[in-house]
Every structure is written in C-alpha cells, then in structure tokens.
Amino acid sequence: MALSFKSTKRRIVINCLRVWWIWITLWYEYGIFPYSAGKCNWPQMDVSPSFTFTSTSIMIILTKIHQTPKHALLVADPQIIDHRSYPGRPALLTYISQLIVDLNLRKNWRAALRSAPDVVFFLGDYMDSGYSNLENSVSIRYERYVKRFTKIFSMDSEIPTYFIPGNHDVGLGPSTFFSPHARTRYTSHFGPLNSHVSVANYTFVLIDAPGLVEEDYKRHGFGKTYADWTPVPGGTISFVKSFAAKGNTEPTILLSHIPLSRPEGSNCGPLRERGTIRRGVGVGYQNTLGKDSSTFLLEHLRPTLILSGDDHDYCEYSHTLTTGSRIREVTVKSLSMAMGIKKPGYQMLSIIPPGGPTFSHLDAPCLLPDQLSIYLDAYIPLALISLVIVLVACIIRGQHYRHWTFRSLSHTKRKLKENTRPSKPQHFRRLTRTPTVMDDYEFTLDDSDTDQKLPPPVSATVLPKKQNTLSTIFSRGRRVCQLISLQSLARAIFTSNRRGSFYSEFLCDVRDVAVFPLGIIFLISLWTFTDV
C-alpha cells in the first residue's frame, strides 16, 4: 500500500508538470512568433470612389475603382554574428551564442513571411563581419558566411528582393580591418551598390550610404560644395545627380542604411525603446549622414518617404525642405535579438499605385517577441518553480512512505508476537486435559524384569506436538527476522542513508519532467534549421 501510494502521487506530480512544460515550450518556441506577427496587419488605406460623367447623360455615375495595394517588407540589420563578433568570449560560448541568434533570426524571418509580401527590401548590415579582411575576394570563409545568410533568409524565388550596403558589409573609412575586396564581394553576392527600382509606380532609390559618407569626407577635405564637387565615378553622388537629371515622374521613396542628419536630441516617438539617435563617428561607423549630405539627398530626390536602418531601434523624424514641405523618415528596427534591443521588428509598407483617385503609402512597424525575456523571465523562473514543486513532492512523499512503512511493520510484528506466545490460562488448560502416564505405573528395578518392556515415557507421547510447535516457531521466527531486516532497511533508507536516496529520487523526478520540454525544444530547433 505504501509503495502504491508513493507511485501514484509521483505519477500525478510528474504528469502535471510534463503537461505544463509541454504547453510552455510549444508556445515559447513556436506559437508566440506567428502569434506576434499575426497581430501585425498591412496598413489599410481608404480608396475614395470616383465620379464619371457620361457623354450621353447628365447623370453622375458613381464608379468605384478597385485598387490593389502592393505590400513591401523592410528588414534592417540582421547582422549575423561569427567568431569575430565577441573577441573576449570563449570559443564554446561564442558558438552557442551563434546558434541561439541564428535560431531566433530564422523564427523571426519565418514569422515575417507569414504576411506574404509582394517585395522585400533589406536595409544593410547583413553580416557582422562582412567587411573583414579575409584572404581574398572569393574567400571560402566569406562564401560560408553568405551561405548562412541565404539559409536563414530563405524565401520563394518569385518574391523580388533588393539590398543596400551597410557599414558592416562594405566598411566605412580607412582601416586595416576592412578588406580592400569588400565592395567587390558585396556586389557579386547582393547586387549593385546604388540602384533604383519601380514598385507599384513608385520609384525606390537605393543608395550606398557608407560610400556617400566616405566621398563626403573627401569633398569636405577639398573645401568644395556639392555644386562644385566632381563626383567619383560610380559613386553615390554621381548616381543621385544622374537620377535627378533624368526627371523621374514617379513618386520617390529613399532607402538609406545610415539615417539622415537631424538636430541633436530629436524625439524619435513613443515606439522607441530608449534614447534617441545622436551624432557620432568612430572606426567603421557613423550614426547619421552629414548635414550637407542630407540636404543634398533631400533637395535632389524630393522623396515622399525615407526608410533607414543602422540604429537598430525604431525612430520617426520629419525633415523640412527649403520649400517648407515635410518628409517623414522611419528608422527600421533590427530583426536580430543580439542588437541591444528587447523586441526585434520589421516594417510593413502598403502602396497604392498613383493614377487612381488617390495614391498614397502607409507603413507600420511589427514587433516580435523578446527572446532574452523568454529565457530570463519565463524559462528560468518557471524552471525554479518546477524544481520547488518536485522537491516538496519528494519530501511529502517520503514522509507518507515512512509513516505507512513503520506502521505496517509494527502492526505485523505485534501480531506475530501474539501468535508465538500463547497466554498463560490457555497453557494450563492444555496441561490439565493431558493425562499423566507416569501415575498409572510403578517401576521396580528387578533382575527378572530386565527383559520386560517398559511403557513409553511421557516424552514419547508429546514429542510430535513439540516438533510441530518448534517448526511453527522457527517458521514464524524467520518471518520476524525478515520483517526486522525490512524495517532495518527502511530505517537505513530514511535515516542513515536518507541523503543519497532522497537526492537520487529528486534527480530522477527532475529528469522525468525535463525530458519532454527539452525534446520539444530540440525537435523544433532541428526543424527550424533544416526547413529551408
């Protein structure tokens, strides 16, 4: 009964914790990502009806022109880490960090693709060490780096995808850490540094912002204005001037990796996690474009919207042209959990083609789960709660088992003693009913009677009973010894050897609970990595 009670209670606790952890791991490893992305919808725009006048009638016919918006997905700064990302971190910890970040990027990207975009734009900084000075422009190491990126961001080949370079892709400024082949490697894998593409009758202008910063330093060093400066062939300034000279008739949307200049301390809006975008410069980076460069882009391109990256956090700011019109710039959040923000994200842009009764575009950010919070605020506290539950269950189970074991042993031992030790009145009653043989004979030791057979002694008449009684005593004695040995064993388990047995049982319970969630995490991770 004690063992059955113990086993039943153990199964109840273990199974409840198993069900609890199975639900937790399925939710945090899989469900929460599509759930978060599912709350983000493409921005909707009201399309006003148009009034058409017929030549044969003065009636006004109300005709609603149906326009299907195009949906553009914008991703910034995935910045895939490698062994150079954390120089002071041990190699094993760096490898584990790389696996965790890659897994998070895959989940975020898979959740973003659930929105079914028509076109995708990447806003730079694809690999954390893409600018590194490797062996040559076709380095095997760089090829593996790019292969990791393409596996993480795999998608339908029918979805158009466009890229702009970031400072982590091609470098910025002179440094021995930057490869002289960085730009060649980039163009061979991701496309041209500067380009423009038409989507839904809007022209997206994609510029090489790091190249613009470097050329701006040269221009400023010569003390020339943009009007007097002779652009570097194939550079960003040359590309922008050439594009503006063609007289583009479509509305323009500017994509730049580095945000445009703004006054120090400008407010970024309520969706930013902390601080603001501040001017700053260092080896391989510059937080914003220069003031002259920003004015040059705004005046030549006159965009209706600017989308940038690099800062990793969300920011909204409106630039003012010399004509007084305002141009909104949105700095898109990083998609990676390793970029110093709590919630990664991406930007969703809906575009109504020009030519109808209305033409416009709306954008909205989409925030994804906080992966570090899942580990630190969900898994660790819930794991500690589970350990406490298992520990308390082991203690309670041990107390019940000890109570039932010693109670059963004491009861059995007391019954055996009553059976093997008859009461005194019964003993005398048995003796009075048994006749004494010696009272009926008189013995004389005579020579003539040496051959005469004597009557059987008393011992001969009661010997069989004594044999049965001794056999019973020995049999019951062995049972008592066995029970005493079992009692000694139980006492040894719960007293002298309690520590080792208790912790062994505790660890077995922890193992039985943990095997299911760990297995689910492994299978989901394996499926995420192998599903390309």
Side-chain angles (χ1 to χ4, degrees):
M1 180 178 180
L3 293 176
S4 176
F5 174 82
K6 178 181 179 182
S7 177
T8 302
K9 290 295 183 181
R10 179 181 183 274
R11 286 196 300 269
I12 292 175
V13 174
I14 297 301
N15 290 335
C16 288
L17 289 176
R18 282 174 176 172
V19 173
W20 187 35
W21 272 102
I22 288 173
W23 183 87
I24 289 172
T25 51
L26 285 176
W27 172 249
Y28 282 117
E29 294 299 318
Y30 178 76
I32 193 173
F33 291 91
Y35 173 77
S36 298
K39 294 191 299 183
C40 303
N41 299 316
W42 293 105
Q44 300 293 327
M45 291 170 285
D46 294 331
V47 180
S48 302
S50 64
F51 293 90
T52 305
F53 295 89
T54 63
S55 59
T56 60
S57 175
I58 60 173
M59 295 180 60
I60 301 176
I61 302 175
L62 181 64
T63 306
K64 186 174 182 179
I65 300 178
H66 296 280
Q67 293 177 305
T68 303
K70 292 292 185 178
H71 297 145
L73 180 68
L74 296 110
V75 179
D77 304 278
Q79 216 158 313
I80 299 174
I81 64 174
D82 67 345
H83 64 280
R84 308 174 193 85
S85 300
Y86 305 103
R89 187 173 294 184
L92 178 60
L93 188 58
T94 300
Y95 179 72
I96 294 175
S97 302
Q98 177 179 314
L99 290 179
I100 293 175
V101 173
D102 283 9
L103 180 63
N104 175 258
L105 281 172
R106 286 174 180 263
K107 292 178 181 178
N108 290 341
W109 175 242
R110 184 172 295 173
L113 285 181
R114 293 175 66 90
S115 59
D118 298 313
V119 60
V120 177
F121 292 97
F122 285 89
L123 301 181
D125 279 1
Y126 313 125
M127 299 172 291
D128 192 45
S129 302
Y131 55 75
S132 295
N133 190 7
L134 304 177
E135 291 80 1
N136 50 62
S137 60
V138 290
S139 170
I140 297 177
R141 185 178 298 175
Y142 185 82
E143 294 292 334
R144 291 175 179 174
Y145 213 174
V146 174
K147 189 176 181 179
R148 276 180 59 202
F149 176 85
T150 55
K151 282 187 176 181
I152 292 174
F153 293 97
S154 60
M155 72 180 84
D156 190 346
S157 59
E158 295 182 359
I159 300 177
T161 307
Y162 303 96
F163 302 88
I164 60 174
N167 54 300
H168 280 267
D169 303 314
V170 296
L172 193 158
S175 175
T176 57
F177 295 104
F178 304 152
S179 172
H181 307 287
R183 292 180 177 273
T184 304
R185 292 187 311 207
Y186 175 86
T187 55
S188 64
H189 292 86
F190 298 100
L193 298 172
N194 297 283
S195 63
H196 60 87
V197 59
S198 180
V199 177
N201 295 332
Y202 271 80
T203 299
F204 286 76
V205 178
L206 293 72
I207 66 169
D208 174 15
L212 176 60
V213 172
E214 293 180 347
E215 190 172 356
D216 188 55
Y217 277 119
K218 295 179 181 179
R219 179 199 62 80
H220 185 75
F222 284 99
K224 293 186 178 182
T225 64
Y226 272 92
D228 299 331
W229 174 251
T230 302
V232 175
T236 304
I237 297 177
S238 175
F239 168 79
V240 171
K241 286 186 174 182
S242 175
F243 176 82
K246 292 178 181 179
N248 183 53
T249 58
E250 294 181 348
T252 301
I253 297 177
L254 174 62
L255 303 185
S256 169
H257 175 69
I258 302 176
L260 273 64
S261 176
R262 70 225 30 217
E264 188 71 11
S266 299
N267 186 17
C268 281
L271 297 180
R272 187 174 178 85
E273 293 186 8
R274 61 180 183 273
T276 186
I277 298 178
R278 299 187 180 276
R279 291 193 295 267
V281 63
V283 178
Y285 75 92
Q286 182 168 307
N287 292 342
T288 62
L289 295 176
K291 186 176 181 180
D292 293 340
S293 299
S294 301
T295 303
F296 167 75
L297 293 175
L298 293 173
E299 295 296 336
H300 280 74
L301 298 177
R302 301 291 175 121
T304 59
L305 176 67
I306 303 171
L307 295 162
S308 59
D310 188 58
D311 184 67
H312 304 163
D313 202 353
Y314 187 82
C315 184
E316 288 188 22
Y317 179 77
S318 293
H319 302 275
T320 304
L321 297 178
T322 55
T323 58
S325 60
R326 300 178 66 84
I327 300 174
R328 179 169 166 266
E329 178 181 355
V330 175
T331 301
V332 181
K333 267 200 163 189
S334 171
L335 193 71
S336 173
M337 61 173 285
M339 295 297 108
I341 54 175
K342 291 183 178 180
K343 291 188 174 183
Y346 54 91
Q347 201 74 8
M348 306 175 73
L349 175 64
S350 296
I351 307 171
I352 293 293
T358 61
F359 60 94
S360 182
H361 49 72
L362 290 178
D363 61 275
C366 183
L367 303 182
L368 295 169
D370 182 356
Q371 185 69 67
L372 288 178
S373 179
I374 292 175
Y375 293 145
L376 300 178
D377 299 335
Y379 282 162
I380 292 180
L382 293 176
L384 293 177
I385 292 174
S386 300
L387 290 175
V388 171
I389 293 175
V390 173
L391 179 64
V392 172
C394 287
I395 294 174
I396 296 176
R397 204 163 56 235
Q399 291 177 350
H400 279 281
Y401 178 66
R402 177 164 50 183
H403 169 73
W404 284 104
T405 301
F406 288 133
R407 182 177 177 182
S408 178
L409 290 174
S410 301
H411 178 73
T412 305
K413 186 177 180 181
R414 185 170 61 253
K415 288 294 184 181
L416 288 175
K417 286 182 178 180
E418 291 177 358
N419 293 334
T420 54
R421 289 186 178 180
S423 62
K424 189 173 182 180
Q426 292 178 351
H427 177 68
F428 280 111
R429 284 197 299 270
R430 187 173 68 251
L431 291 179
T432 54
R433 290 196 299 270
T434 304
T436 304
V437 181
M438 296 298 294
D439 294 340
D440 298 334
Y441 293 91
E442 293 183 359
F443 297 96
T444 56
L445 297 177
D446 188 52
D447 294 337
S448 61
D449 296 331
T450 54
D451 297 333
Q452 186 178 358
K453 293 183 179 179
L454 295 175
V458 177
S459 60
T461 60
V462 297
L463 184 58
K465 279 191 175 182
K466 288 187 176 181
Q467 288 179 348
N468 293 335
T469 303
L470 290 176
S471 176
T472 302
I473 292 174
F474 290 148
S475 175
R476 293 176 177 176
R478 284 193 297 269
R479 292 180 60 188
V480 171
C481 293
Q482 291 175 357
L483 290 174
I484 292 174
S485 299
L486 181 60
Q487 184 177 6
S488 301
L489 178 61
R491 184 180 293 109
I493 292 175
F494 288 105
T495 57
S496 62
N497 196 29
R498 179 179 178 180
R499 186 177 186 84
S501 175
F502 176 81
Y503 280 104
S504 298
E505 183 178 358
F506 172 74
L507 293 176
C508 288
D509 289 350
V510 173
R511 176 204 62 195
D512 293 341
V513 173
V515 64
F516 282 89
L518 291 178
I520 291 173
I521 292 174
F522 173 77
L523 292 177
I524 291 178
S525 301
L526 184 64
W527 171 67
T528 304
F529 273 111
T530 55
D531 185 21
V532 179

